[in-house]
Amino acid sequence: MKLRKLSLVTAVGLISCSVSAQHYVITDTDLQIRKGAWVVKNTDINQDAPTFLIRNTVLSGGLQNDSEVLTIQSDGLTIRLSPTRGLGILSVEGDGIRLGWNSPVKEVVNPQYINLESRGGNGWLEGFNEMLVRCGFEWTGHAVQADGMLYTLHGRAQNTPVAKLFVDIEDKAPYTITVSGLIQEKAFKKSNLETWVRLSYVPGSKEFIVHDTVTNKGDYPKDYQIIYHSNFGTPILERGAKFVAPVKEISPFNDYAIKGLKNWQTYLGPTRNFDEMVFNIYPYADAKGQTQVMLANKVGNKGVGISFNTRELPVLTLWKNTDTFNQGYVTGIEPGTSFAYPVTIEREQKRVRQLPPGKSANFTLKYSLLSNKEAVRAYNNAIKTIQGDQKTTVVDEPMALE
Amino acid sequence: MKLRKLSLVTAVGLISCSVSAQHYVITDTDLQIRKGAWVVKNTDINQDAPTFLIRNTVLSGGLQNDSEVLTIQSDGLTIRLSPTRGLGILSVEGDGIRLGWNSPVKEVVNPQYINLESRGGNGWLEGFNEMLVRCGFEWTGHAVQADGMLYTLHGRAQNTPVAKLFVDIEDKAPYTITVSGLIQEKAFKKSNLETWVRLSYVPGSKEFIVHDTVTNKGDYPKDYQIIYHSNFGTPILERGAKFVAPVKEISPFNDYAIKGLKNWQTYLGPTRNFDEMVFNIYPYADAKGQTQVMLANKVGNKGVGISFNTRELPVLTLWKNTDTFNQGYVTGIEPGTSFAYPVTIEREQKRVRQLPPGKSANFTLKYSLLSNKEAVRAYNNAIKTIQGDQKTTVVDEPMALE
Amino acid sequence: MKLRKLSLVTAVGLISCSVSAQHYVITDTDLQIRKGAWVVKNTDINQDAPTFLIRNTVLSGGLQNDSEVLTIQSDGLTIRLSPTRGLGILSVEGDGIRLGWNSPVKEVVNPQYINLESRGGNGWLEGFNEMLVRCGFEWTGHAVQADGMLYTLHGRAQNTPVAKLFVDIEDKAPYTITVSGLIQEKAFKKSNLETWVRLSYVPGSKEFIVHDTVTNKGDYPKDYQIIYHSNFGTPILERGAKFVAPVKEISPFNDYAIKGLKNWQTYLGPTRNFDEMVFNIYPYADAKGQTQVMLANKVGNKGVGISFNTRELPVLTLWKNTDTFNQGYVTGIEPGTSFAYPVTIEREQKRVRQLPPGKSANFTLKYSLLSNKEAVRAYNNAIKTIQGDQKTTVVDEPMALE
């Protein structure tokens, strides 16, 4: 199972790193490798390494038949990833706090059973239950018929099994674990995007990094979009829970959200007929573009923070879906290049980016579990520092009508 | 293979039953079980049990790759079910009589290779070859574009692999075998239906029971529809074969069927250019809502009967597809909550039912193989008793135009 | 592995042949056989047989999970076929010359991950990377909405896993190897086509034969179309490469191709913004209908020839896609019953053929690797002989507008 030592430079090809690491190939369509069931633990690396266990399993039966789940267990966090669904994050757990939510969709649905064009382009909803869904990269946003085709809800990346799946583990402290997957969005004449999606985690810690690189392998410029659709339910989301962010401007996604503008910073409990309210946010950032946002429970002793760079991800969608539990009580905190409007609107409003031939774009997000008052307070203070005395503009009408 | 003893109450969760039974889990997506190839026989239960063999197999190759077929063999009937296709019934055989038909589609097509939206929403036809297809539960009927989506022909249930597959066998007489499967029709915000579909069979007997329970697991009322599309070809269907039912009202599905009204009770042999004639029937029932209908061959020594309750399934579609053999010589006898019109028409005409949050609806149908004159005559008499001297109204125009 | 001796008559059912052969069943959905990994070599047949190795492998991971590749290796050619993708030819190699091309699509995409209706009916492009794609048989050509359905680009055959896969090897000289696959295009009431697709190869030689038989198993006449989409890139395709054919008439497929008419016989190198130019050709043939066409590199020492019969395949599409390398630098030489217009236009212009019930149509094409000047010259001369002094009509406007 342990193949050979490689520096991460070689292994992942994109992260510059001088620490040597164990490199495990779980799947590689070029080398005809698919290990399926696989496991590695700290003692396989080094007697001094902190406790961890990484296990890849193959689910079976129903709509999740042949879907893989890769789990990192440690004294800090337990992280469940779905290689078959674009290496999305199913859930994270630490200190008894779950990051994720309860969707009516229970299975880890294999994309072979999903027709993204069904339900008027909303087939994506038949698999949606993750803590992190990458909405992109060829396009994202609400479904729309344009250019003689149907741009289906939130693109195809999450419904693409990775063509390569690597696990790299540093063989000295801090023994960083990096899980990398390759998403290929290919279609002759239409798309030639290759995206390395990665999660890095220091065993025992309470945070992890998502670091993705999308590359245009084609010879022509290619539009791309990405929304990091990060979803949280109980126990952090609850009546009185707070969303905290350094906000330059916030506006309602549509008319229905206008009446939620006055309470955008707090959440309702599960509320019948609430459906969803969505807000478009331009965050403030520090001089280097770094910013951070947080969801915390009412008393402020449980939370989750996301830090990212507004040069990479300039906008943030706040999705409040505080409907009933069985309907899916959840909020989405969604840094992105785009808002969730259809690609036609995002193009008009100039939020669709373009990659020149051979060029890449990087996206780095750090997710932090905040499991006590001190952690929540410190994260909150850092957000306040970014905001400083800068004003928040509340725009009371949508920037676009779908 | 033999897991543990359970009462059926625990095993299936819905049938109240005090007989203890052997409970076999063939597939369970929660427990990560998918046995695939599996077999149990009477002597595994009890030396006194009548002869039977239950075998689950995994098909391979072509469009049926990884499809499962579960077969119950006994001295009475041999019943073939398709767990990968919603636990539909492929065929039944007993006394040399086959219940089922010959479709041009020969493979047990894995839904992963079917696009229900293809052929204008008629992709369902690429897998259709079963004796029993459940058309539902989210919607059923002819394909129609409405509500910004395509309601594909006859819904999704039959193209959904079951998430759970159990076999329960009573460990004392009558040693009833129950095969249960869980169909999940889930989509965030759209559908949260869970349906237990079941077939119960007493080894050695000439009848079996289909007993389904659809439950709305969501927090909002949810429409549902179901048609039990039960299909029979040779040897029962033939020139001069008869359809017998206690009919309150019969009307043509469309203009083409008007000219078939005068002979609705009998069948043609394979007839070039016949295509199909469809009739909408409201059956009479007894005081408890029980009714029964029958297809019998010309001389009346082979037949199949279906009994059901009109409170559960108030209408019946009679589908006469007596075209040539290779085109599919078959008749459908289809008790349902709805006729086969598109959901838009069924809604207008108030045949679409609704499940309140957390509530269930049950459907029970008993299928009887009638393998001699006495059995056919007795079944016929029971139908006549229900009809009594009540009149049959023949309406000579369709209740709706598609 | 070696099942039994059969004459090819029995084995393939359609080729009349008195040589006895080893018959290997790799896949048979009727017999529940799918061998997956499998290999046979010359010494398994006979000590005198020339060197060859035939290997079937099952790919895994990504979008190509569970796709099969069958490879024939020999001292003459190495031929890679894709049973999961309609037994298309992935690539052929001999004398250091590759027949095939480099598509942005790298995986041998399992059709379970392709939605042919996506991208406005162009989902086919997500799997397109073969040297030979069969575009048919139910329909072919550009996508079009008609008859209440979407006729997707180039039909369904290439995205249909074969239901049967046989390898037959003659047990005496010339030890012809025949790989046969069964493509079933079935849909109740809609299609009942069965097509045996075959490749025959004499080990050590530099040519192979494609021989297909499409049969209408239904009881009604059925339209069919086929285009043998044969695709070549480097090293044969290059700046100054030549297309040679006995041409009766050539016309531009659309307005964009008009300006390419004067240079239809030669190719550009990889050319930014070239996109594609397509030409419709009616070839001349000899008295028996036989004709042949050739692609050769500039200096004329590398080439590929295709011979076929114009009674079977009366038209030829020349597809010049000499765009950049990463966009897919490739030309298609495409004998067919139809041009690449949508089926609606092909019908209007009477190029759609029809099979009576139970009848078959055969198509035979011989592909020759031309790996030196002599071979190219000889092939060229044969083409010139067919043309003789007959005139080539260059029509300067498209025969149809899409």
Side-chain angles (χ1 to χ4, degrees), chain B residues 54-95:
Chain B
I54 308 175
R55 185 191 298 278
N56 196 54
T57 57
V58 182
L59 307 182
S60 49
L63 297 169
Q64 71 185 24
N65 199 50
D66 214 22
S67 280
E68 295 187 4
V69 173
L70 189 145
T71 304
I72 304 171
Q73 282 179 278
S74 82
D75 291 340
L77 299 177
T78 293
I79 304 172
R80 294 168 63 239
L81 298 140
S82 175
T84 310
R85 297 181 52 79
L87 206 61
I89 303 175
L90 295 166
S91 68
V92 175
E93 192 278 335
D95 293 329

Side-chain angles (χ1 to χ4, degrees), chain A residues 78 80 89-94 97-103 129-132 208 229-237 295 304 328-332 367 369:
Chain A
T78 292
R80 293 169 63 240
I89 303 175
L90 294 166
S91 68
V92 175
E93 192 276 337
I97 304 169
R98 183 266 311 255
L99 307 184
W101 60 297
N102 297 333
S103 170
N129 60 10
E130 294 96 338
M131 190 222 92
L132 174 63
F208 60 89
H229 205 304
S230 313
N231 311 300
F232 309 100
T234 54
I236 302 178
L237 184 64
L295 173 74
V304 56
Y329 180 67
V330 58
T331 184
Y367 291 78
L369 173 68

Side-chain angles (χ1 to χ4, degrees), chain B residues 68-358:
Chain B
E68 295 187 4
V69 173
L70 189 145
T71 304
I72 304 171
Q73 282 179 278
S74 82
D75 291 340
L77 299 177
T78 293
I79 304 172
R80 294 168 63 239
L81 298 140
S82 175
T84 310
R85 297 181 52 79
L87 206 61
I89 303 175
L90 295 166
S91 68
V92 175
E93 192 278 335
D95 293 329
I97 304 169
R98 183 265 311 257
L99 306 184
W101 60 296
N102 297 334
S103 170
V105 177
K106 301 300 180 201
E107 297 180 73
V108 181
V109 183
N110 192 319
Q112 70 194 9
Y113 287 117
I114 290 183
N115 180 344
L116 294 173
E117 306 229 330
S118 70
R119 300 179 188 274
N122 292 311
W124 184 90
L125 298 171
E126 295 179 12
F128 175 44
N129 59 11
E130 294 95 339
M131 190 223 90
L132 174 63
V133 179
R134 286 173 185 86
C135 302
F137 288 88
E138 228 188 311
W139 68 82
T140 194
H142 287 188
V144 65
Q145 185 79 34
D147 314 319
M149 64 175 278
L150 179 55
Y151 289 90
T152 59
L153 176 64
H154 285 331
R156 299 164 46 86
Q158 192 80 356
N159 283 278
T160 304
V162 295
K164 305 195 185 201
L165 177 63
F166 300 156
V167 173
D168 291 88
I169 308 171
E170 291 175 359
D171 56 11
K172 61 180 77 156
Y175 299 96
T176 305
I177 297 163
T178 299
V179 182
S180 311
L182 177 61
I183 295 173
Q184 300 194 118
E185 293 178 82
K186 303 285 187 105
F188 179 65
K189 283 187 191 285
K190 305 291 181 185
S191 179
N192 199 346
L193 294 178
E194 295 190 1
T195 306
W196 279 100
V197 292
R198 304 182 200 86
L199 181 143
S200 290
Y201 176 63
V202 173
S205 73
K206 297 289 162 58
E207 59 190 28
F208 59 90
I209 291 171
V210 167
H211 173 59
D212 298 350
T213 306
V214 56
T215 303
N216 177 7
K217 305 292 279 191
D219 284 332
Y220 295 95
K222 172 73 182 163
D223 285 355
Y224 74 93
Q225 298 178 278
I226 178 66
I227 296 176
Y228 286 89
H229 204 304
S230 313
N231 311 298
F232 309 100
T234 54
I236 302 178
L237 183 64
E238 62 180 357
R239 179 159 195 265
K242 294 184 188 70
F243 172 71
V244 188
V247 174
K248 185 175 178 190
E249 180 187 306
I250 181 167
S251 61
F253 182 80
N254 54 21
D255 286 346
Y256 177 62
I258 294 173
K259 65 171 171 283
L261 270 182
K262 59 184 177 301
N263 303 114
W264 66 269
Q265 286 162 302
T266 57
Y267 288 91
L268 298 178
T271 305
R272 178 164 290 274
N273 295 317
F274 184 85
D275 197 8
E276 60 181 33
M277 281 195 190
V278 180
F279 303 93
N280 303 325
I281 290 175
Y282 288 100
Y284 283 116
D286 70 15
K288 293 177 174 166
Q290 278 302 126
T291 192
Q292 59 191 70
V293 301
M294 177 181 73
L295 173 74
N297 70 343
K298 186 175 181 183
V299 301
N301 62 1
K302 294 186 181 78
V304 56
I306 309 176
S307 81
F308 55 97
N309 195 295
T310 55
R311 294 172 194 167
E312 294 172 359
L313 301 164
V315 308
L316 183 143
T317 295
L318 175 63
W319 172 56
K320 292 169 127 186
N321 196 79
T322 51
D323 207 295
T324 68
F325 275 120
N326 289 319
Q327 186 77 349
Y329 179 67
V330 59
T331 185
I333 298 174
E334 313 174 11
T337 58
S338 281
F339 290 122
Y341 294 110
V343 63
T344 44
I345 290 174
E346 292 297 304
R347 275 191 209 134
E348 269 172 35
Q349 301 197 356
K350 311 292 186 203
R351 283 184 298 269
V352 177
R353 294 185 168 190
Q354 204 172 60
L355 276 175

Side-chain angles (χ1 to χ4, degrees), chain B residues 375-386:
Chain B
V376 170
R377 190 179 306 126
Y379 210 93
N380 188 64
N381 289 342
I383 293 169
K384 296 303 176 199
T385 300
I386 295 169

Side-chain angles (χ1 to χ4, degrees), chain C residues 22 77 144 175 311 317:
Chain C
Q22 299 292 340
L77 299 176
V144 65
Y175 300 96
R311 293 172 194 168
T317 295

